[in-house]
Amino acid sequence: MQSAETRLSAGEIRERFLKFFEAKGHQRLPSASLVPSDPTVLLTLAGMLPFKPIFLGQEKPRFKRVTTAQKCIRMIDVERVGQTPRHHTFFEMLGNFSFGDYFKKEAIQFAWELLTKELKVPIPRLRIAVFEKDDEAFDLWHQDIGLPKEIIFRLGEDNNFWSAGPTGPCGPCSEIYYDTGSERGCGKPDCAPGCDCDRWLEIWNLVFIQYNRNEQGELLPLKQKGIDTGMGLERIASVLQGVADNFETDLFRPLIKQVETLAKNSGPASVRIIADHSRAITQLIADGVYPSNGGRGYVLRRLIRRAVSHGRKLGIDKPFLQGLADGVIAGLGDVYPDLKTKAAVIRQTIREEEDAFLATLEAGLKWFTELAARRTIDGGAAFKLHDTYGFPIELTVELAKEQNIPVDLAGFEREMAAQRERARQTGISDKKADLAALDLAQLNQTNFSGYEKTTDEGKVQALFPAQKLVVLDKTPFYGESGGQVGDTGLLAWDKHEVRVVNTLVSPKGVVLHELENIDGLKKDQKLKATIDAAKRAAIQAHHTATHLLHKALRETLGDHVKQAGSYVGPDKLRFDFNHFHAVKAAELEQIERLVNQKIAEKLKVEVLKKSYQEAVALGAMALFGEKYGETVRVLKIGDYSLELCGGTHVKNTADIVFFKIMSESALGSGVRRLEAVAGPAAKVHIIFQAKSLRDQVEAQLSRYRALEREQEELSGQKSLGSNIFEIEFTELERLGKCVDNHDSVNVDKFLEHLRGRVDWLQERIAKAERTIAELKTKQATAAITETDEVIYLRTLSGYSMDQLRAVADKVRGWGKATAIILVSTGARPIYLITVTDQLAQAGLTAKKLAETFNAVTGGRGGGKETKAEGGGGDPAKIEAGLTAIKQALS
């Protein structure tokens, strides 16, 4: 073992490992993303995962020998992080792989040479484990390497046998353990490798992939054998740096010191949890994962909120994770360059998520304390902590566990299921969720011809009368998937015709047509299937526009933008994406302009059929919600956009005609939503918008001119407004031509022109109304300059309630009148009555005077002691009503 002065850093260990295997003929490959292409796993959790298709025989290897330092995330032991010396969420797996090249002998020799000669790990500290039935591996360690039998242990299948699943490639393992010392053991006489205590540290696992397990459970030898090894960098660093556990290595010490500097309270476990989680959080965001309430985004959100909660335990009451991310970037940025290039995105994502959680954390912890006092947390309370205060259920369970309080997880799941049902996405058929109840296992995948045809001949494979669903062997109908709605159209046979109201598709490619009725159909019936071509064309325009929008968003806002959901229908498109804050108006204009520019360029839209790996190598992006097989469809739009997509599209961007953003809004923390229209729907939307604005202008102009006339009558002066105001309308046909020419600039100018007219007229109307109110007040009070009248009573013609109030305020300002009664005559009379406090205290309240007036006129109204308003009643009885008020006052 090296002295303290010569101990290797983690970076040096990583580099020595990779260089060692390069010297042994291995190709060094960069780490794959934490977001795997394998749809069966959420995150990259092992060094072999990027090579799983090779081991499964689905893909041919480019190199026979490979070595990597792979980023990994595992959440299975998240509760043990910080509690043990070796559990982490993020870690680096050092590995060497052979694809049909060398096998057990070489793998064992390489491992032993690297550990004992290159890294100089003390041999007396090493122990070996092999699969209990693997005599070959046992003999290689004993005879070839020369290890005594006493330090080679045979372990069972749970420990020392790897498989990719219940069937498929698999094989025995050989593990290399490091003895950390008896003082760290459990003290049992039989304590040995495989024991759960801290003494035996597994530092390297060698997997010998030599069998294929069939459906009967039989192990059949593989023609091409493989090697998959994994050594945790954090673990080997603790060995070579001579420290008690992983958290004392140079991978963690700088981060731990950062946390300890911020902490006001003691809490070693919390410090370690924060240091660990900060690495995972930073790496996840660098690989394009953003906080959300599902999938990978939920993992990230959970880690951030868990770290913040432990920060509160340490007395850290301000945002701090951004600083920890800077520490991670400083430590690993040279190894993983994405950390540096995406540093700004990482910081902003963490800060916004942390701020959002801190805003509710204090209230959530206070409520949790109240719940804890009851010594139980039911499902509804756990759900409220999650839904209202942002507590992941795992955090609630952890907090409760600390106080030995049970949590009703079953009740929580019921509440979550109910919420998911409430939040079911609009615009997507509810029947999609019901497919699981149908027996589709025996049906063949439907031959979909809709990429090329709108009409085709098919035969009935199956009928589901209760659901009004029919399955054909061949169809041009596109089943709802990837955000694109299902086709509608007609099925025709003999003299029958029935409407298809929706189309669904199962995960295995069985297309189901939902019919208005299923009368007359039978199995093996031959028929003609015809989609609604106009509707399909509108859908295709929106779908291709979605791809252009995605690209334009990334160009305008940054590469952190990724699709988080979509709806593509004939009426509009909806696009959800990761972004930190509202998109600015100038940015929206730029995005819209970019899309329309690509439409105007008449780019060719073509589909390339590639293997998934070829598509990714070309730079194609995968879209949210899609599942990809071995062969994928790559949508290529000129040289502008390249994305994987199974939907239907236009042949040329010119077919989209026009693109218009209708709205931008927040969908959740860090997720925004755009709604837009394209194709025929865009033209209809814009023309309708223009007509609506023009109607507003005409209505307001009419109102403005009526006010001008009233102002002229009151003032006796001719108004200049109508002489200088002239409204001009561009013909709507000209606007339509702008749309057809993809001219978004002039479309926006025209609409902005109309909006400007609306705003201008609103200002003039408001000004005219103020002037008229002033003139009417002056007119109503002109006869009186100084008055001794105790009662001020006037009948005015055509005054509004606001104008009556203005007159009352003017009269009240003289300070003489104790009661003011104003009535405006017209089709529907209105009145205003006010009295002084003294009069009200004497019993003559405004409310009573209003009742007196209403009793005579039949009007309605009321109010407070000193003020009452009302209206209606018989205009012919107004004078009698005023006489009744005078009598009451006298």
Side-chain angles (χ1 to χ4, degrees):
M1 190 71 85
Q2 298 97 340
S3 64
E5 292 76 19
T6 61
R7 285 174 184 166
L8 297 174
S9 69
E12 290 170 329
I13 296 167
R14 185 194 299 110
E15 187 61 23
R16 283 202 184 188
F17 180 95
L18 295 171
K19 280 187 174 179
F20 174 86
F21 281 103
E22 281 184 307
K24 301 295 184 183
H26 292 64
Q27 175 68 36
R28 184 195 295 207
L29 296 180
S31 172
S33 170
L34 287 171
V35 179
S37 57
D38 186 340
T40 65
V41 291
L42 199 62
L43 293 162
T44 299
L45 44 73
M48 64 74 59
L49 193 68
F51 309 111
K52 185 177 173 184
I54 296 175
F55 288 125
L56 292 175
Q58 298 170 347
E59 181 184 330
K60 292 183 178 180
R62 287 187 295 157
F63 308 101
K64 289 290 187 180
R65 301 182 179 194
V66 166
T67 184
T68 62
Q70 175 62 50
K71 300 178 291 186
C72 299
I73 292 276
R74 286 185 190 171
M75 296 294 290
I76 189 170
D77 291 317
V78 66
E79 289 82 8
R80 301 183 71 183
V81 172
Q83 311 297 330
T84 75
R86 62 189 67 164
H87 285 95
H88 307 291
T89 51
F90 172 83
F91 60 94
E92 295 178 77
M93 187 68 82
L94 307 176
N96 59 288
F97 306 88
S98 167
F99 310 119
D101 189 9
Y102 63 83
F103 199 48
K104 290 184 187 178
K105 182 176 181 178
E106 294 87 348
I108 289 172
Q109 288 174 342
F110 290 156
W112 192 252
E113 180 183 346
L114 176 64
L115 285 176
T116 61
K117 294 182 179 180
E118 177 69 23
L119 300 180
K120 296 183 173 21
V121 178
I123 293 175
R125 290 274 194 171
L126 298 175
R127 300 290 186 274
I128 307 299
V130 298
F131 179 48
E132 58 189 357
K133 298 178 182 179
D134 191 357
D135 295 334
E136 181 185 3
F138 188 97
D139 291 342
L140 285 168
W141 283 112
H142 175 51
Q143 296 172 8
D144 281 38
I145 303 300
L147 299 183
K149 294 180 179 180
E150 293 74 24
I151 68 168
I152 308 172
F153 299 83
R154 293 180 183 266
L155 300 180
E157 188 168 342
D158 289 345
N159 277 318
N160 280 65
F161 197 93
W162 174 88
S163 61
T167 61
C170 55
C173 309
S174 183
E175 297 170 322
I176 305 174
Y177 287 85
Y178 181 81
D179 185 358
T180 64
S182 58
E183 67 277 7
R184 302 192 67 188
C186 58
K188 297 177 181 178
D190 59 348
C191 182
C195 182
D196 288 334
C197 71
D198 290 335
R199 176 175 179 177
W200 304 104
L201 179 64
E202 179 197 333
I203 56 175
W204 206 343
N205 188 15
L206 316 178
V207 180
F208 312 127
I209 303 174
Q210 65 186 92
Y211 300 115
N212 179 58
R213 196 196 304 267
N214 63 22
E215 293 183 357
Q216 288 72 42
E218 298 172 314
L219 296 177
L220 306 176
L222 285 171
K223 290 181 181 179
Q224 182 172 293
K225 299 174 182 178
I227 291 293
D228 155 30
T229 85
M231 177 163 64
L233 175 61
E234 293 76 12
R235 294 189 177 192
I236 191 63
S238 71
V239 170
L240 296 175
Q241 293 176 15
V243 294
D245 62 45
N246 300 357
F247 288 99
E248 295 180 19
T249 67
D250 63 338
L251 289 165
F252 288 95
R253 281 308 308 165
L255 298 173
I256 285 175
K257 286 181 180 178
Q258 269 189 271
V259 181
E260 289 174 338
T261 301
L262 297 169
K264 299 173 185 175
N265 307 326
S266 176
S270 291
V271 171
R272 292 181 171 205
I273 288 167
I274 293 169
D276 170 272
H277 288 10
S278 66
R279 288 171 20 111
I281 290 163
T282 306
Q283 293 278 12
L284 281 168
I285 299 171
D287 276 355
V289 178
Y290 300 98
S292 69
N293 287 329
R296 301 177 188 101
Y298 179 72
V299 171
L300 175 59
R301 174 162 286 168
R302 179 184 172 191
L303 290 172
I304 291 174
R305 294 184 173 185
R306 200 167 185 265
V308 171
S309 301
H310 280 280
R312 293 304 293 265
K313 289 184 178 181
L314 297 172
I316 307 173
D317 54 5
K318 295 180 180 179
F320 68 94
L321 284 179
Q322 181 178 310
L324 269 292
D326 290 338
V328 176
I329 294 168
L332 293 174
D334 290 337
V335 184
Y336 303 109
D338 278 355
L339 293 174
K340 288 185 175 180
T341 59
K342 297 183 179 178
V345 172
I346 292 168
R347 294 188 189 102
Q348 190 168 1
T349 302
I350 290 174
R351 184 57 186 266
E352 295 203 1
E353 183 68 14
E354 191 173 7
D355 285 346
F357 185 45
L358 282 171
T360 60
L361 179 60
E362 192 66 38
L365 288 173
K366 183 178 179 182
W367 196 57
F368 178 84
T369 301
E370 294 176 13
L371 293 172
R374 306 174 195 170
R375 305 306 300 167
T376 185
I377 298 178
D378 61 33
F383 177 75
K384 184 177 179 181
L385 281 168
H386 161 82
D387 195 50
T388 304
Y389 300 108
F391 280 39
I393 184 60
E394 297 85 1
L395 177 58
T396 299
V397 171
E398 283 183 43
L399 293 173
K401 189 175 180 180
E402 290 174 4
Q403 301 185 44
N404 199 28
I405 299 171
V407 178
D408 178 13
L409 293 176
F412 171 80
E413 286 301 327
R414 285 194 295 272
E415 294 285 349
M416 282 296 294
Q419 186 195 54
R420 283 191 288 268
E421 184 63 28
R422 291 191 297 270
R424 190 190 296 267
Q425 207 174 29
T426 58
I428 299 297
S429 168
D430 285 344
K431 282 206 171 185
K432 182 94 174 174
D434 300 332
L435 292 185
L438 303 178
D439 183 12
L440 306 176
Q442 305 305 316
L443 297 179
N444 295 323
Q445 179 175 336
T446 307
N447 181 358
F448 174 63
S449 60
Y451 291 130
E452 300 83 21
K453 300 179 179 180
T454 57
T455 298
D456 206 349
E457 303 287 337
K459 185 171 70 174
V460 175
Q461 264 203 88
L463 295 165
F464 299 94
Q467 294 84 7
K468 296 181 181 178
L469 295 172
V470 62
V471 178
L472 307 180
D473 63 340
K474 188 178 184 182
T475 183
F477 282 78
Y478 182 86
E480 172 191 308
S481 62
Q484 180 174 330
V485 300
D487 280 328
T488 58
L490 295 172
L491 297 183
W493 69 101
D494 300 333
K495 296 181 180 180
H496 295 82
E497 190 174 79
V498 64
R499 179 166 170 73
V500 179
V501 297
N502 193 16
T503 309
L504 310 170
V505 62
S506 78
K508 292 187 177 180
V510 177
V511 176
L512 298 102
H513 308 73
E514 183 183 350
L515 309 182
E516 279 185 334
N517 67 75
I518 207 161
D519 300 340
L521 270 178
K522 57 187 178 181
K523 192 174 180 182
D524 296 327
Q525 173 73 57
K526 291 183 178 180
L527 45 73
K528 185 178 182 180
T530 304
I531 67 169
D532 183 336
K535 180 180 177 182
R536 166 75 79 81
I539 292 170
Q540 290 180 163
H542 282 122
H543 204 159
T544 309
T546 299
H547 287 255
L548 294 176
L549 172 61
H550 193 185
K551 180 69 173 179
L553 282 165
R554 288 172 64 83
E555 285 191 353
T556 304
L557 305 179
D559 288 342
H560 65 280
V561 169
K562 288 193 177 177
Q563 182 173 335
S566 71
Y567 163 82
V568 179
D571 54 332
K572 66 178 179 180
L573 68 87
R574 184 174 66 235
F575 191 82
D576 303 335
F577 59 98
N578 300 107
H579 192 51
F580 315 110
H581 45 67
V583 184
K584 299 173 184 175
E587 292 171 331
L588 289 173
E589 289 176 9
Q590 171 67 7
I591 292 161
E592 194 174 276
R593 193 176 302 117
L594 272 172
V595 174
N596 280 302
Q597 178 184 322
K598 297 306 169 185
I599 294 170
E601 288 176 10
K602 300 181 179 180
L603 301 177
K604 183 180 179 181
V605 180
E606 54 187 323
V607 174
L608 312 176
K609 292 185 179 180
K610 301 285 183 182
S611 72
Y612 183 86
Q613 287 70 28
E614 287 174 331
V616 172
L618 284 173
M621 290 186 63
L623 287 185
F624 175 89
E626 295 277 4
K627 290 187 177 179
Y628 306 104
E630 190 173 344
T631 302
V632 296
R633 289 168 54 85
V634 181
L635 188 78
K636 185 175 185 291
I637 306 177
D639 293 325
Y640 186 64
S641 173
L642 197 69
E643 292 183 311
L644 275 62
C645 184
T648 63
H649 293 272
V650 299
K651 301 297 183 185
N652 190 290
T653 58
D655 298 333
I656 301 173
V657 181
F658 196 74
F659 174 82
K660 183 70 181 173
I661 295 173
M662 295 190 295
S663 67
E664 190 273 347
S665 60
L667 188 60
S669 178
V671 182
R672 309 295 301 180
R673 169 170 286 179
L674 279 179
E675 291 199 353
V677 285
K683 191 168 185 176
V684 169
H685 170 78
I686 290 165
I687 299 297
F688 178 82
Q689 192 176 10
K691 284 183 176 179
S692 176
L693 285 168
R694 190 176 69 172
D695 290 346
Q696 288 182 54
V697 171
E698 290 178 336
Q700 288 183 337
L701 183 59
S702 176
R703 167 72 175 151
Y704 177 55
R705 286 177 170 158
L707 289 171
E708 278 188 319
R709 288 191 293 272
E710 186 177 4
Q711 185 177 333
E712 288 172 0
E713 291 172 1
L714 288 169
S715 65
Q717 297 179 352
K718 179 76 174 175
S719 171
L720 298 177
S722 58
N723 293 333
I724 63 172
F725 184 78
E726 293 181 5
I727 189 74
E728 295 178 359
F729 290 112
T730 304
E731 292 295 327
L732 291 180
E733 287 77 10
R734 287 176 58 192
L735 178 63
K737 288 179 181 178
C738 288
V739 172
D740 292 338
N741 293 329
H742 332 293
D743 187 355
S744 61
V745 173
N746 280 318
V747 166
D748 288 341
K749 282 182 179 178
F750 178 71
L751 295 176
E752 192 57 38
H753 168 77
L754 291 181
R755 291 190 193 98
R757 292 299 194 191
V758 171
D759 294 342
W760 191 91
L761 283 166
Q762 285 177 338
E763 291 175 5
R764 296 303 183 278
I765 288 169
K767 183 178 180 181
E769 287 176 339
R770 289 194 298 271
T771 300
I772 288 169
E774 291 170 0
L775 289 171
K776 283 193 170 184
T777 300
K778 184 177 180 181
Q779 184 185 68
T781 58
I784 305 170
T785 52
E786 289 290 333
T787 180
D788 293 324
E789 290 186 51
V790 174
I791 302 172
Y792 184 79
L793 189 148
R794 291 289 184 277
T795 302
L796 305 166
S797 176
Y799 278 56
S800 67
M801 185 60 74
D802 283 340
Q803 291 164 352
L804 292 182
R805 292 180 189 128
V807 173
D809 290 343
K810 184 78 177 283
V811 175
R812 192 181 299 108
W814 296 333
K816 302 286 181 68
T818 57
I820 302 170
I821 299 92
L822 302 173
V823 178
S824 174
T825 58
R828 184 182 182 278
I830 57 174
Y831 65 81
L832 169 67
I833 301 172
T834 69
V835 300
T836 60
D837 291 337
Q838 293 88 344
L839 206 61
Q841 289 168 3
L844 284 170
T845 66
K847 188 176 180 180
K848 284 186 177 179
L849 293 177
E851 290 171 353
T852 300
F853 185 73
N854 290 335
V856 175
T857 64
R860 299 180 64 183
K864 299 179 181 179
E865 300 297 296
T866 58
K867 183 178 180 181
E869 296 176 354
D874 187 349
K877 295 181 180 180
I878 289 175
E879 288 302 324
L882 292 175
T883 300
I885 288 179
K886 286 179 183 179
Q887 292 173 349
L889 287 170
S890 62

